[in-house]
Amino acid sequence: MTVPRSPLAELLSVLELERIEDTIFRGTSMDLGFGNIFGGQVLGQSLSAAIRTVPADRHVHSLHGYFMRPGDPARPIIYQVDCIRDGKSFTTRRVVAIQKGDAIFSMAASFQVAEQGFEHQDIMPDIPGPEGYASEYELVNRFIDRIPEPIRANLTAERPIEIRPIDPMNPFAPEKKPAHRFSWFRASERLPDDPMVHRYLLAYASDFGLIQTSMNPHGHTFFEPSMHVASLDHALWFQRDFRMDEWLLYAMHSPTAAGARGLNFGHIYDTQGRLVASIAQEGLIRFRG
């Protein structure tokens, strides 16, 4: 009898990719029931592909990507890596994700050898630790009867990433709130020690919750049929080493929304208060009321 893999093991398998040629990879998708591929998955897979073309002594420090088409979760994705530059300290890669002959996502990523230098950072927000907060899995199951059937099974199933939001919003009775959000998150199981696994898994998780931040002041959520919501671009900087299987705080803020787009920034801290990653994303928040 075959023992089913855990949700985290399944996600790691999806992010690891199949190597077809030296710089060409193939990936499959986890269908979350939305009809499109989750943006964080394509982001994590693109980084995974780039990592496999870079020397092991160089770690990714930044990436910048654009979402072009929604993508079909029922079809494989081809990732083509362009080895743009291999310098003495930095390595640059460009990745294009392709389905049916069209680009659905493109990303540039930069890798650096380990170096010592000046250090400073913003102070971590004064947010209580993760203990005592309900997980998104627990919160969503409170509204199981109101969740649309196509996405119910995935939203109410156990997650590979446990997320514990601070001051969560009822998605079916949204209220206007300040343009910031806080969540604790971590992988649901112990992970390998390979730092690259932790980085492309964080890239995957960094797409959760950002766009909602720009909808908070307007009292809307992506559950509403009148809302058309999608990630447009995504930038991620890695500042310090971290582990995805230990609690991390995601502090999100939206300074502005205009032109049916919301701009969002995020900072991720570990429990010692170290700033380990920073994120910027613009999302489509088109209201058809």
Side-chain angles (χ1 to χ4, degrees):
M1 181 177 177
T2 303
V3 178
R5 289 188 290 190
S6 69
L8 181 60
E10 183 69 27
L11 174 58
L12 290 175
S13 175
V14 166
L15 294 177
E16 283 170 2
L17 304 178
E18 172 193 0
R19 191 170 215 143
I20 300 175
E21 297 287 349
D22 286 349
T23 60
I24 302 176
F25 303 83
R26 178 164 48 213
T28 58
S29 296
M30 297 180 75
D31 189 351
L32 302 184
F34 294 99
N36 302 326
I37 298 173
F38 170 55
Q41 178 202 299
V42 183
L43 191 71
Q45 287 180 322
S46 295
L47 179 55
S48 177
I51 286 170
R52 284 162 170 75
T53 68
V54 174
D57 65 340
R58 300 183 179 215
H59 290 179
V60 61
H61 70 88
S62 70
L63 59 86
H64 302 259
Y66 282 92
F67 299 93
M68 303 175 202
R69 294 178 175 87
D72 182 354
R75 300 179 66 94
I77 311 168
I78 299 300
Y79 292 91
Q80 295 183 343
V81 182
D82 184 3
C83 300
I84 295 176
R85 180 177 183 269
D86 293 288
K88 293 181 180 180
S89 301
F90 290 88
T91 292
T92 306
R93 295 291 184 261
R94 180 172 57 209
V95 184
V96 179
I98 300 169
Q99 277 193 325
K100 295 184 287 187
D102 293 322
I104 64 171
F105 178 77
S106 69
M107 183 191 79
S110 181
F111 298 75
Q112 182 187 14
V113 297
E115 293 188 46
Q116 297 297 317
F118 298 123
E119 285 205 22
H120 75 274
Q121 67 163 75
D122 285 345
I123 297 174
M124 179 179 177
D126 186 15
I127 299 295
E131 297 78 13
Y133 291 104
S135 69
E136 278 196 346
Y137 168 75
E138 295 170 307
L139 293 169
V140 168
N141 274 276
R142 297 175 186 175
F143 308 106
I144 187 170
D145 294 335
R146 303 187 63 181
I147 297 173
E149 187 62 38
I151 62 174
R152 182 181 300 173
N154 288 288
L155 284 181
T156 58
E158 291 189 30
R159 313 280 184 86
I161 308 293
E162 181 181 0
I163 302 173
R164 297 187 181 184
I166 311 300
D167 191 25
M169 179 185 292
N170 181 342
F172 300 103
E175 302 174 359
K176 291 184 178 181
K177 292 192 173 189
H180 57 72
R181 302 178 73 232
F182 300 94
S183 295
W184 288 99
F185 70 99
R186 68 176 176 183
S188 59
E189 301 172 27
R190 188 71 176 175
L191 291 167
D193 291 333
D194 183 352
M196 291 297 98
V197 172
H198 295 258
R199 295 197 178 204
Y200 62 64
L201 192 56
L202 186 139
Y204 169 88
S206 68
D207 196 30
F208 284 120
L210 271 177
I211 296 181
Q212 178 58 52
T213 312
S214 60
M215 292 190 284
N216 270 12
H218 311 283
H220 290 281
T221 75
F222 71 90
F223 275 98
E224 298 173 63
S226 56
M227 288 299 306
H228 180 196
V229 179
S231 301
L232 296 175
D233 61 11
H234 198 100
L236 172 57
W237 296 266
F238 297 96
Q239 278 95 30
R240 294 168 179 85
D241 290 336
F242 61 92
R243 291 194 65 93
M244 269 292 294
D245 49 14
E246 297 177 355
W247 285 113
L248 298 169
L249 177 68
Y250 202 167
M252 294 164 269
H253 171 63
S254 175
T256 185
R261 303 183 314 275
L263 180 63
N264 306 279
F265 295 110
H267 294 92
I268 296 177
Y269 299 83
D270 64 15
T271 54
Q272 286 73 50
R274 299 183 315 134
L275 178 61
V276 301
S278 301
I279 300 95
Q281 184 188 83
E282 191 172 48
L284 178 69
I285 49 172
R286 183 178 288 147
F287 181 59
R288 294 170 171 164

